[in-house]
Amino acid sequence: LAKTTQPISMDSYEGQEVNITCSHNNIATNDYITWYQQFPSQGPRFIIQGYKTKVTNEVASLFIPADRKSSTLSLPRVSLSDTAVYYCLVGAALFGGYQKVTFGIGTKLQVIP
Amino acid sequence: GAVVSQHPSWVICKSGTSVKIECRSLDFQATTMFWYRQFPKQSLMLMATSNEGSKATYEQGVEKDKFLINHASLTLSTLTVTSAHPEDSSFYICSASQTSRQRTSGRVYEQYFGPGTRLTVT
């Protein structure tokens, strides 16, 4: 399982774009990159997943360079409700499509009014 | 989207008693479920992988006789904390993976997480 490294914490003002970068130097060919959001006392919630280049959905964008050794989660115009811990996970199916992942420390994002 | 529920959402028990936590996939079948534990201000720690119809696979350092896992059906896995002690107080979270035939979200590999269960042992 590829190890990931993220900043422990970040602060941002409301309305700004936030970029959280994750390093995963040992990413394997079959690995995908997935980001989850977790609020206190809740289970993680899926944000976005990608393999290479750029992926965008209704809440975020994920940028992955060609070497795939890092990825950047971009949150446009954050609001106070985006204050949470964000986890970058790297992994692939072990067998039959079932992904065993290891959570890193995550990035605690604090949005300031 | 796929929904995973947990019951109870919180529980308080006395030291020495056992507590059972249920994890259900509500609208899909989950051959594999995962159990995590999370202490305050820490990340999720994988405890075990629960496979329907077979024995669970425990991570290193997790006592299988203390944390009993039963995955009796494709929609239900249970975690029983036996002879609970105050140090077992934690936030327990389960997750479930869809089988490859059911993935309709376009995401290749995904775990759906439950809301968590707060266990307090007094």
Side-chain angles (χ1 to χ4, degrees):
Chain A
L1 295 173
K3 180 181 177 180
T4 60
T5 303
Q6 306 173 231
I8 295 176
S9 64
M10 295 181 68
D11 292 339
S12 176
Y13 288 103
E14 269 192 299
Q16 289 189 330
E17 178 184 76
V18 172
N19 295 309
I20 306 174
T21 297
C22 177
S23 297
H24 28 79
N25 292 318
N26 296 324
I27 189 169
T29 303
N30 294 332
D31 286 344
Y32 279 72
I33 301 155
T34 311
W35 285 78
Y36 284 88
Q37 175 192 57
Q38 187 184 29
F39 297 111
S41 296
Q42 293 186 28
R45 184 176 72 99
F46 174 92
I47 300 175
I48 197 165
Q49 184 181 75
Y51 183 81
K52 62 180 180 180
T53 62
K54 177 183 176 181
V55 180
T56 298
N57 62 20
E58 62 275 9
V59 297
S61 294
L62 179 59
F63 299 92
I64 306 168
D67 65 6
R68 303 200 327 121
K69 294 183 182 300
S70 67
S71 59
T72 299
L73 173 70
S74 181
L75 304 172
R77 299 179 297 281
V78 295
S79 63
L80 295 177
S81 62
D82 293 318
T83 294
V85 178
Y86 292 82
Y87 294 98
C88 162
L89 278 71
V90 175
L94 286 180
F95 48 83
Y98 313 130
Q99 183 184 25
K100 172 182 173 179
V101 295
T102 300
F103 278 79
I105 193 69
T107 298
K108 183 174 182 180
L109 172 65
Q110 180 68 52
V111 180
I112 306 165
Chain B
V3 178
V4 176
S5 70
Q6 283 184 240
H7 178 79
S9 56
W10 59 270
V11 57
I12 301 173
C13 71
K14 292 185 177 181
S15 184
T17 62
S18 295
V19 174
K20 179 184 286 187
I21 302 170
E22 294 185 348
C23 176
R24 293 181 184 272
S25 54
L26 297 184
D27 50 2
F28 68 100
Q29 293 181 332
T31 308
T32 300
M33 291 183 174
F34 301 92
W35 286 96
Y36 296 84
R37 180 167 54 181
Q38 187 175 34
F39 293 107
K41 299 186 184 300
Q42 294 187 22
S43 184
L44 284 76
M45 184 188 77
L46 180 65
M47 299 176 66
T49 301
S50 170
N51 298 293
E52 187 268 337
S54 64
K55 292 182 178 180
T57 303
Y58 291 82
E59 296 298 301
Q60 189 174 6
V62 178
E63 300 176 60
K64 62 180 181 180
D65 294 329
K66 181 171 182 62
F67 300 98
L68 302 179
I69 292 173
N70 184 6
H71 195 155
S73 75
L74 287 172
T75 60
L76 173 64
S77 176
T78 60
L79 168 68
T80 301
V81 183
T82 63
S83 187
H85 291 285
E87 56 265 30
D88 298 323
S89 298
S90 187
F91 192 55
Y92 292 86
I93 305 170
C94 72
S95 71
S97 290
Q98 281 187 334
T99 61
S100 58
R101 293 189 302 276
Q102 295 170 316
R103 285 199 196 90
T104 57
S105 66
R107 301 158 192 160
V108 179
Y109 307 117
E110 182 178 349
Q111 291 186 31
Y112 301 97
F113 288 86
T117 297
R118 174 75 59 192
L119 170 62
T120 302
V121 185
T122 61

